[in-house]
Amino acid sequence: MIKAVYKTRQQDLLLSFLKQTKGSHFTAEDVKNHFAGMENPLGTATIYRQLEKCVADGTVLKYFIDEKSAACFEYIGETSPNDDEPPHFHIKCEKCGTLIHLDCSELSHLQAHLKESHGITLNPRRTVFYGLCAECEEKNNSPEK
């Protein structure tokens, strides 16, 4: 027996939010805060359940950055992660916690080296580098610390 697929208003609202945030990262808390001021805000359990469905169907990627941070999500849409856009790495600022897309062609050389010399296939969508973002680096080097 095939289970009927149906859409709820909450699913439509979440999908609209996801499409608006394509290419950026967000947490379930960000989603909750987005809908908090609305007439019928989305409940936390609904948000998590729907995000996990989207992760399962491949329209949303889920990142676990470290043991201290909440899971981070990224809407990639209906296409497979390898279809339209080149893979990108991520960098997490160790000071402010921002997760940044790291589109750098030089990293493809590192990826190729790891494969050829060490037999390691790097998954760019799950690889996170750590460092300081430009803003935190500037604050760090500022004389008024």
Side-chain angles (χ1 to χ4, degrees):
M1 183 172 167
I2 297 175
K3 187 175 181 180
V5 177
Y6 65 95
K7 288 271 192 185
T8 64
R9 187 180 75 70
Q10 288 89 354
Q11 287 171 319
D12 289 339
L13 287 170
L14 182 60
L15 183 59
S16 175
F17 171 81
L18 294 176
K19 288 179 178 178
Q20 291 172 17
T21 62
K22 188 171 184 173
S24 62
H25 303 101
F26 58 90
T27 64
E29 187 70 20
D30 295 331
V31 177
K32 182 181 175 187
N33 291 339
H34 174 79
F35 289 106
M38 296 188 169
E39 185 177 320
N40 295 311
L42 298 181
T44 304
T46 299
I47 292 167
Y48 277 104
R49 187 172 46 254
Q50 294 304 320
L51 285 174
E52 290 301 331
K53 283 182 182 179
C54 292
V55 169
D57 72 19
T59 58
V60 169
L61 296 176
K62 183 176 184 178
Y63 302 98
F64 295 101
I65 306 306
D66 58 39
E67 63 279 351
K68 298 175 190 171
S69 303
C72 196
F73 300 90
E74 178 186 3
Y75 177 72
I76 59 170
E78 302 297 325
T79 60
S80 119
N82 299 321
D83 283 354
D84 292 336
E85 63 182 64
H88 57 269
F89 293 85
H90 295 89
I91 187 163
K92 181 178 181 183
C93 180
E94 293 177 293
K95 191 164 188 171
C96 70
T98 301
L99 186 66
I100 304 163
H101 284 276
L102 190 57
D103 294 313
C104 177
S105 61
E106 293 298 317
L107 290 172
S108 63
H109 299 298
L110 172 63
Q111 191 174 13
H113 169 76
L114 289 172
K115 178 69 175 170
E116 292 167 15
S117 299
H118 304 282
I120 297 170
T121 302
L122 202 59
N123 180 345
R125 293 191 177 271
R126 306 251 328 139
T127 301
V128 179
F129 295 96
Y130 292 86
L132 290 178
C133 68
E135 188 174 315
C136 289
E137 180 70 31
E138 185 177 312
K139 287 179 188 173
N140 204 36
N141 292 328
S142 159
E144 51 196 60
K145 285 191 244 183

